[in-house]
């Protein structure tokens, strides 16, 4: 199955909202995301419009979607770009719908997000992401795509969250 991996544009806020709420409905959402379904579903439409507008501008935050051949959005990944003295990037909000898992789209989406971070305007040397210790499926994907644990951890009420990094390859 082929997918078109591309940034969300300003007018696509309804699709962004629907996909994000689907992600927050996933059984693994409580360990994969900081926001709950209840919180996100209460956001006004203006917030979703602003998020899509920000992604469409390509500055700071870009959300990528994987669009299936039938036009449905199969998954998403958001890249946060910070351009301080040392540009860095973080992938957040990574999600693939269950019916599109094991098709290779997760790897394609992660590659597109990482490429945006390292090869795009920010030119980050490294791409970071975080994964919960119990989210083994995500750990396997990230490690298969060249991400390694940094040794940095964070504790929350559900357990340990590990930081991963992938350095830019020249």
């Amino acid at each position: 199955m082929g997918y078109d991996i591309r940034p969300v544009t300003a007018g696509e806020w309804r699709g962004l909202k629907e996909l994000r709420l689907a992600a927050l409905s996933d059984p693994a959402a409580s360990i994969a995301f900081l926001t709950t379904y209840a919180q996100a579903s209460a956001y006004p439409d203006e917030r979703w419009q602003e998020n899509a507008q920000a992604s469409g501008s390509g500055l700071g935050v870009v959300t990528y979607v994987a669009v299936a051949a039938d036009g449905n959005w199969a998954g998403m990944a958001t890249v946060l770009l910070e351009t301080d003295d040392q540009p860095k990037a973080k992938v957040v909000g990574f999600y693939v719908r269950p019916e599109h898992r094991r098709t290779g789209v997760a790897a394609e989406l992660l590659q597109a997000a990482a490429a945006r971070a390292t090869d795009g305007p920010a030119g980050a040397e490294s791409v970071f992401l975080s994964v919960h210790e119990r989210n083994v499926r995500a750990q396997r994907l990230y490690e298969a795509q060249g991400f390694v644990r940094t040794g940095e951890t964070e504790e929350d009420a559900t357990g340990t969250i590990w930081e991963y990094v992938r350095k830019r390859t020249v």
Side-chain angles (χ1 to χ4, degrees), residues 71-123:
N72 288 317
W73 287 11
M76 67 180 183
T78 299
V79 180
L80 307 175
L81 301 171
E82 298 175 9
T83 54
D84 295 331
D85 293 338
Q86 181 77 350
K88 66 183 203 181
K90 186 164 189 173
V91 175
V92 298
F94 190 87
Y95 175 72
V96 174
R97 292 183 194 268
E99 62 271 24
H100 294 278
R101 293 178 187 157
R102 295 182 185 84
T103 64
V105 70
E108 288 182 53
L109 197 50
L110 190 55
Q111 288 296 335
R116 161 69 179 162
T118 58
D119 304 335

